[in-house]
Every structure is written in structure tokens, then in C-alpha cells.
Amino acid sequence: MTELNAGVRIVGDIRPLGNSKNFISIMAFTVSRTPDLILDIRDHRFKDGRADYAVDSKVLEKASAYFHVLLDPQKFFEGRKLHDTRESFGKDGIPSASTDIQSLPRVIIHDVGAVSGRFKVENAVAELFHILHGREAWARRPPLTYLTNIAIVADRFECLSSLVAWSEQKKLVGLFRKKTFAEEASEPEGSLRQKLLTGWLLQYSWWVQSASASLILRGSDAWKPNSSEQMKHDGELWWSLPGYLEDELLHRRTCILESLQSLQDSFLRIYSETPQRQCRLGDSRCDSYQFGEIIRFFNRTGTLRLGFGGEDVSSSPAAKAASRFDTTAFVTALSHFNPQRLDINHRTCNFDLKVSPLGSERLEKKPQGHWTDKVETVCSLQEEIIRAYLNPMEYQCKRGYDTSPQCDILQLGELARFLGQYGSLRLESLIYEEELPERLSSIHDLILALRAYNPRKLDSDHAKCSIRSRLLQRLEFIYLVAAYAGMSMKTEWSDSKTPNEVASFDSFDRRLQKVRREGNRLDHVEMCVKWFNAPERDWSLGDGLGQPVG
């Protein structure tokens, strides 16, 4: 018996096979007490590049579909050679005690699967053969990576069913402490992937659900475009999960991010596109103020990017020539645009006074006919003004009143609405495109960041006009539903058929409250699939969001 690192114990002899003086010393394992076959397994992850295993071929044929075919005398040379050797042993086909172990037939096998070389791989292979031969494998909980290696080797030799039956009999999963969601979320990505793969191969449904949920909410560098994350590893199977697992994880994460982006877009859209007043008092100033607040917040959070200009200046000259974007007319319209003021004390606090020196002077300096220069000038003009109002550290309002911050936000909302209607300002959400800052790569952290929205009041009369309560309600809904985004052993979101209709937040929220009261997990999972797989989501029902006032 040989003691291994990390508390793993191998049962069985580990010694050179045979007594030949010319024998080259390599790692060798006598797995069976009555071996009739030597498996010469060669893999670059082995310490010496190879290892010998003295096994009982009948046991392997019964436990492994791979060896059942390989050792079939009607199909492969190895099987025929083993059959002839068995006949030489006598009627029972069992070698006698005096048989030289080196005279046993030898089968060479290359590659044991995409395992990790962190622990001795040859020991993991021996561990699996011990289990198949009905011998005790270890006395206490093995390291997760070691167990994952064994499961991968079992999958390689097509004996997972035997390993699953043994693990259920020994209650192997009970040796591992069940971790809380917070503990699991703090684990390294590699550990989560090992746990997911091992749970999938050994049919531990809780491991699959908890590890996949953590991966979906956290995300992975390997899912990012042009990621070199795969190059940082040694090709272990858990870094490129087999079957549909990798695609399913990414699909579910994408569905949740799409839902969050549609929520952000819905709030931007009701203030920029819908003609209805959102203010409970019907005040258009309040709507512009709320619009400026959410633009500043989403931009500061990192979930919104502002695009300037009605034309991509990098497009072809032909496209530019065909464009009807009249820069001079645009600057003229901007110069004559008269935004609303916060009150009479702020009647001179408007951005249109900045347009003449910033716009006309620059355009006059450009040679006539240079369309690209004019568009670049207009784009820089818009960006300069918008960026000034996005900066909360420097007030554009020069009155020095306590209401100067509200004045700036109102002017930002007025300007953004005008430019958006003119088509020269684009509000581009970054959530679904996975261009978020690193600090928001986790969906949990992203939701927490959005929950931090706490705007100033326009005044005491508009204390209840903020979207904060509505935003928090919808974020709470997404978070509760996403808690069941972890994978089960049967359900696939990517194959789920969803009706071609809009998912209503109002009806789903009422159903969620009922499911939480009754505690029916299956209904919760079903609702999760339907919501996140919906082709379109309607956030506007149930509370007057986006509806006419009156």
C-alpha cells in the first residue's frame, strides 16, 4: 500500500512486474490478484510517459464497453491474442500462481483522456481499475481534481455506468460538504468547471445545478470574443466542456443579459421615443430631468455608451455623397433649439449659448465641400457638450444655486432628447454585447450596480416621479428568476420551444409571487425558461410605465 499526496490512498501493489534483470523500471500496478492481461498505457501526462497495469480481462470486459469491444477475439488482434493465451492456461482460463507475469499478453493503449497533470495521472487510472475490480479505492474524501480525472478516464474507457453505480453505493457525494451560493461564487472558475463536469459524468444533479448557476452568473473569459483563455491551460476537458454543455451555459447567460439589456432599453425608450408623459403631474420638465438622470447613471455605471453623429465617417465616399445629413442645417437647428429651464432663476442656463462659438467658427474654418471634416466637427461639437453635462464634478450651471445639479441634469435630458430625435445621438447598451467593465462581468455585480440608482429629486412636488422603485422591482424579478438558471440533467434552454408572443412582466411577476408562496421549484424552473427564452419582453404593464397619464 502506498500513501499518495492530499490524503488519497491507493490499494494494491505498485512495483515492477516480473523479476527480469533487464527490466526497465517504470510505474507498474498489480490491480487484480489473478491478472491475465497487462495494459501498457502510454500518455505524456504520466511521470515516465507510460505505466503497466496487471488486470483481470474478464472484469474489464464486463464493466467497460471499450474493453468489451477491444478484447473481442472476433474484432481485434488484441482480443484474439488474449483468447489464445487463455486457452493455454487450461479450462478455466486462469493463470496459475507460478505463471510469470511478464508472459501475460500485453495490450498497448495510448491516451487516457483530457485529464489534469496536477495529480499523478497514472494513479488515477489505477484508482479506476481498482474500483472496477471491486477493491477499496480510498479511505477519505479525495481532492476534486483527482475525482474529476477518474471520471474523465472512466468516460474515455466507457465505464461510467460502473463508476456511477459504485459512487452511489459508497455515497461518495456525501463526502463533500454542500456549499452555500456565496461560497460557491467565490471559488475559482476551474473548480466550478471541474465540479460541473464531474457532476455531469457521475450524475450528481446538485453539483450540476449549483456549479452551472455560478458559472452562468459569473461568466467566463473563454466566452469572450477573441479570448486567449484556452491557451492558458493544458487542454483539460473541463475548460472545453463536451457535448452541448459549453454552448448551453453561454446561451443561458446570454438570455439573462438580453433580459437586463431590454430592461435598460425600455426605460431609455419611454423617455426618448414615446410621446406620453411619464411624470405623474404631467410635467414635461420632469420627463427631461428623469431622462438626463438615467443617461448619466447608466453611462457612469458602464452599461451605456453614447454614439455621436448621424453618419459613420469611416463609411465609403459613395455612401457619404448619398447621405442627406446636412451639417449646416443641423448646427442652425441646434442654435435655435430652445430647451426648457428648471425655473425662472435658471433662464440663462442653457447649452444653446455654447453652440455659436463651438459650431459656426469651426465650420467656417473648414474648406467648402469637405464633407468628412464637417461631420467630424459636428460630432465633436455634440460630444463636447454632452460630455460636459455628463461630468457631475463640474457644473455647467453658473448660477451657484442649490438646484444647479438639477439644472444640469434637465439640460442633459433636453439635449439628449433633441439629438436623439434628430438622429445624431445613439444610446447604445453594452450589456448584451459583453463589453462591460471587468467589475461588472458577474451578473450578480451588474444587478447590484444597477440597484444603486438613487437620483436627486427635481423638486418636492416630483418626489415620486423617479423610476427607481420600478427599476428595483424589475431587477429583483430578474434576480429571483435567474437564481434557477442552473442546468438540470434534462432541461435545455436552447431546445425549449417558446410561443411566438411577448412575455409580459406583469403576468410573470404575479406568477412569481405565487410560486414563491407555494415553493414549487418545478414551476419556478419552467417560468425561468419561458421568460428568458421569450423572443420579446414587455416591461411596461402593471404600473403605468409607458402609459398615458390622466
Side-chain angles (χ1 to χ4, degrees):
M1 180 181 295
T2 300
E3 182 81 9
L4 298 180
N5 54 349
V8 181
R9 299 174 67 86
I10 292 285
V11 176
D13 297 329
I14 303 178
R15 57 181 174 78
L17 301 179
N19 300 315
S20 174
K21 295 181 180 180
N22 298 324
F23 183 75
I24 299 176
S25 179
I26 62 171
M27 187 70 73
F29 300 82
T30 304
V31 178
S32 173
R33 293 183 176 86
T34 56
D36 63 353
L37 177 68
I38 295 178
L39 296 179
D40 182 358
I41 300 182
R42 305 177 181 185
D43 192 289
H44 70 278
R45 300 176 185 84
F46 286 4
K47 179 181 179 181
D48 300 315
R50 57 180 290 194
D52 286 349
Y53 301 86
V55 298
D56 187 336
S57 61
K58 295 185 180 66
V59 173
L60 293 187
E61 287 182 71
K62 182 179 179 180
S64 164
Y66 174 86
F67 287 109
H68 180 76
V69 175
L70 179 65
L71 302 179
D72 188 339
Q74 303 297 324
K75 296 181 179 180
F76 292 98
F77 170 77
E78 290 85 352
R80 184 61 188 172
K81 183 179 180 180
L82 175 63
H83 176 72
D84 294 342
T85 305
R86 282 176 179 171
E87 289 183 344
S88 68
F89 290 152
K91 293 182 179 180
D92 56 4
I94 300 176
S96 63
S98 61
T99 303
D100 185 0
I101 200 169
Q102 288 298 318
S103 66
L104 297 178
R106 179 179 294 267
V107 174
I108 298 176
I109 298 176
H110 295 275
D111 184 36
V112 296
V115 295
S116 169
R118 178 181 174 186
F119 293 98
K120 293 181 179 180
V121 180
E122 54 268 38
N123 291 344
V125 177
E127 200 88 67
L128 174 63
F129 288 151
H130 289 146
I131 292 171
L132 298 182
H133 282 75
R135 305 179 69 176
E136 288 296 329
W138 47 64
R140 49 185 175 177
R141 179 179 67 83
L144 178 60
T145 303
Y146 193 75
L147 178 60
T148 307
N149 277 350
I150 294 175
I152 293 173
V153 176
D155 183 50
R156 162 73 173 87
F157 292 137
E158 300 181 57
C159 54
L160 273 175
S161 58
S162 300
L163 183 60
V164 169
W166 175 86
S167 67
E168 290 178 350
Q169 178 186 0
K170 298 298 182 179
K171 294 181 172 52
L172 180 61
V173 70
L175 299 177
F176 293 84
R177 183 176 65 86
K178 192 173 182 180
K179 297 183 178 180
T180 64
F181 177 80
E183 290 176 325
E184 194 129 276
S186 63
E187 286 191 5
E189 181 183 348
S191 298
L192 291 176
R193 285 178 168 271
Q194 291 173 27
K195 190 173 183 180
L196 171 58
L197 178 61
T198 306
W200 189 264
L201 294 176
L202 300 185
Q203 299 180 15
Y204 300 158
S205 58
W206 170 249
W207 281 22
V208 174
Q209 198 279 330
S210 60
S212 62
S214 297
L215 278 173
I216 290 167
L217 295 179
R218 172 190 293 189
S220 170
D221 289 338
W223 299 341
K224 295 179 180 179
N226 304 319
S227 173
S228 59
E229 185 69 17
Q230 297 286 352
M231 304 301 294
K232 301 178 182 179
H233 309 288
D234 296 328
E236 296 94 338
L237 186 60
W238 52 82
W239 287 107
S240 182
L241 295 168
Y244 71 94
L245 293 180
E246 198 78 43
D247 292 339
E248 181 70 14
L249 289 171
L250 180 57
H251 174 75
R252 295 191 182 199
R253 177 175 172 82
T254 300
C255 288
I256 299 174
L257 291 175
E258 281 182 342
S259 183
L260 284 167
Q261 176 156 305
S262 70
L263 174 61
Q264 176 174 286
D265 289 343
S266 70
F267 284 110
L268 293 170
R269 191 162 48 247
I270 62 173
Y271 286 113
S272 62
E273 298 180 8
T274 56
Q276 294 89 353
R277 293 275 188 270
Q278 303 304 312
C279 174
R280 298 175 183 274
L281 304 178
D283 189 344
S284 60
R285 293 180 310 129
C286 180
D287 281 3
S288 294
Y289 177 80
Q290 298 299 333
F291 190 33
E293 275 281 19
I294 61 176
I295 289 176
R296 179 181 282 187
F297 172 75
F298 290 144
N299 180 258
R300 183 176 68 250
T301 303
T303 60
L304 180 68
R305 178 175 56 202
L306 277 62
F308 300 94
E311 172 73 21
D312 183 1
V313 296
S314 64
S315 60
S316 64
K320 295 174 183 177
S323 174
R324 296 183 179 180
F325 186 71
D326 190 334
T327 57
T328 303
F330 172 75
V331 172
T332 302
L334 188 59
S335 301
H336 289 86
F337 179 61
N338 187 24
Q340 299 183 93
R341 274 59 166 189
L342 184 64
D343 53 43
I344 193 172
N345 295 321
H346 294 270
R347 59 184 179 276
T348 59
C349 300
N350 58 310
F351 59 83
D352 60 349
L353 298 180
K354 306 173 185 291
V355 172
S356 180
L358 287 176
S360 301
E361 268 184 30
R362 293 183 189 178
L363 285 175
E364 289 174 0
K365 293 180 181 179
K366 300 297 180 182
Q368 294 297 322
H370 284 242
W371 191 89
T372 302
D373 293 336
K374 289 186 177 183
V375 171
E376 289 177 346
T377 301
V378 171
C379 292
S380 64
L381 167 64
Q382 297 176 73
E383 184 172 3
E384 201 166 316
I385 299 174
I386 289 288
R387 295 296 179 196
Y389 281 103
L390 285 174
N391 182 11
M393 305 306 295
E394 182 179 352
Y395 295 153
Q396 300 305 305
C397 173
K398 304 305 181 184
R399 307 304 295 175
Y401 297 147
D402 292 340
T403 55
S404 289
Q406 287 89 330
C407 177
D408 278 4
I409 295 172
L410 173 62
Q411 295 299 317
L412 173 61
E414 285 281 290
L415 178 59
R417 178 176 291 182
F418 169 78
L419 296 178
Q421 292 172 351
Y422 206 93
S424 58
L425 174 65
R426 301 181 305 278
L427 302 178
E428 303 168 354
S429 293
L430 303 178
I431 298 176
Y432 172 61
E433 283 74 12
E434 286 276 25
E435 297 179 17
L436 294 170
E438 186 65 28
R439 59 185 173 81
L440 300 181
S441 58
S442 165
I443 290 178
H444 176 73
D445 293 337
L446 174 58
I447 291 178
L448 286 180
L450 294 176
R451 284 176 58 88
Y453 180 65
N454 190 18
R456 301 171 184 264
K457 302 174 184 177
L458 178 62
D459 54 44
S460 58
D461 294 332
H462 297 85
K464 297 183 178 180
C465 293
S466 167
I467 66 167
R468 184 173 187 271
S469 61
R470 292 176 286 182
L471 176 62
L472 295 182
Q473 179 189 18
R474 286 154 176 77
L475 289 174
E476 180 72 10
F477 169 81
I478 293 178
Y479 186 76
L480 290 174
V481 178
Y484 286 80
M487 296 169 59
S488 67
M489 301 296 291
K490 299 179 181 179
T491 305
E492 295 181 35
W493 285 17
S494 53
D495 289 343
S496 300
K497 304 298 182 182
T498 55
N500 191 21
E501 60 184 24
V502 177
S504 166
F505 163 72
D506 183 45
S507 60
F508 270 83
D509 186 51
R510 289 199 302 268
R511 184 179 172 190
L512 175 63
Q513 303 308 321
K514 180 180 178 181
V515 168
R516 293 182 68 189
R517 288 195 301 270
E518 297 176 354
N520 192 328
R521 186 181 184 279
L522 292 178
D523 284 348
H524 205 151
V525 173
E526 179 187 358
M527 183 175 64
C528 178
V529 175
K530 288 184 177 181
W531 173 262
F532 288 120
N533 252 346
E536 188 177 349
R537 302 170 189 88
D538 180 10
W539 297 97
S540 63
L541 300 179
D543 59 359
L545 180 66
Q547 302 300 313
V549 174

